[in-house]
Amino acid sequence: MLQLGLEGSSHHSDSYTQLIHKALHVTQLSTEEQRELACDIAPHAEKCSAVQRAKYAERRLEQMADTKDKELTLYTQLIEVLVYLLWRHTHYYVVYCKGEGPGGEPLPKKLYSSNQDNIKQLTRELPLHLTDPFLKKIVDFCSNKNNSGVTSSFTSALVRRIRKLVTS
């Protein structure tokens, strides 16, 4: 799911960039493209002057870019939540399901899972799925989208913790 979120966000990021470029260079669009965009805002745009039609087209492109920006923000939040859940679950299974609690004391029988083979398999397979390029992609996306250093550093901290779990 995290991979799908990253792929979808990458597509939306590209679309957002294209929309911004078109809005900045609306005069370079064909008359037909301007007409289509302008008609989305003002149905009577076909009867307007070329300058007015270009303004309507520019406004429509800005609206579409704003929508894409909001979608990217939601993707970023989704990815951050998924990274947090990934870390929490990985941390729980790698640290607490080994039969020892904090400080090396034995866990109660109730918490000690009979599925130790599954936990060992999870620990072996983590490095195969949570590769450095994948984790770097997560950090890069969240840091590029977020102007807020707090969220970016939160995601970076979680990724560092995940790396530590994967390599331990």
Side-chain angles (χ1 to χ4, degrees):
M1 183 163 203
L2 189 56
Q3 182 68 33
L4 291 174
L6 282 172
E7 289 169 5
S9 61
S10 175
H11 169 71
H12 281 282
S13 182
D14 294 342
S15 296
Y16 173 76
T17 304
Q18 290 172 358
L19 288 169
I20 292 296
H21 178 63
K22 281 184 178 181
L24 292 173
H25 301 93
V26 75
T27 56
Q28 294 175 357
L29 296 176
S30 71
T31 306
E32 186 59 33
E33 285 179 298
Q34 286 183 8
R35 187 175 292 128
E36 285 179 25
L37 290 165
C39 284
D40 287 344
I41 289 185
H44 65 282
E46 292 178 0
K47 300 173 186 171
C48 295
S49 69
V51 173
Q52 190 63 35
R53 194 171 37 246
K55 286 183 182 180
Y56 283 139
E58 181 180 10
R59 189 176 312 151
R60 178 64 182 138
L61 287 166
E62 288 171 353
Q63 288 174 349
M64 292 167 64
D66 187 48
T67 300
K68 286 288 180 197
D69 186 50
K70 289 176 184 174
E71 289 174 2
L72 283 169
T73 300
L74 291 174
Y75 268 113
T76 303
Q77 291 171 350
L78 174 68
I79 289 169
E80 289 169 350
V81 168
L82 289 172
V83 169
Y84 175 74
L85 290 172
L86 175 68
W87 170 73
R88 267 323 274 155
H89 284 82
T90 305
H91 181 261
Y92 174 79
Y93 287 111
V94 170
V95 173
Y96 294 109
C97 292
K98 288 187 173 183
E100 293 181 357
E105 61 215 38
L107 286 174
K109 276 274 193 217
K110 186 172 144 182
L111 293 177
Y112 187 71
S113 173
S114 62
N115 292 325
Q116 288 304 304
D117 292 336
N118 292 340
I119 301 301
K120 288 177 185 175
Q121 182 180 359
L122 170 72
T123 307
R124 276 192 315 270
E125 291 182 3
L126 277 174
L128 301 174
H129 301 287
L130 300 175
T131 62
D132 277 339
F134 178 67
L135 295 173
K136 184 179 179 339
K137 189 175 179 182
I138 292 169
V139 171
D140 289 346
F141 175 76
C142 290
S143 62
N144 287 339
K145 178 57 189 144
N146 284 325
N147 296 332
S148 153
V150 174
T151 307
S152 175
S153 62
F154 174 71
T155 306
S156 297
L158 288 175
V159 167
R160 281 193 306 275
R161 290 177 181 190
I162 291 170
R163 275 192 181 117
K164 186 176 179 183
L165 288 171
V166 167
T167 58
S168 64

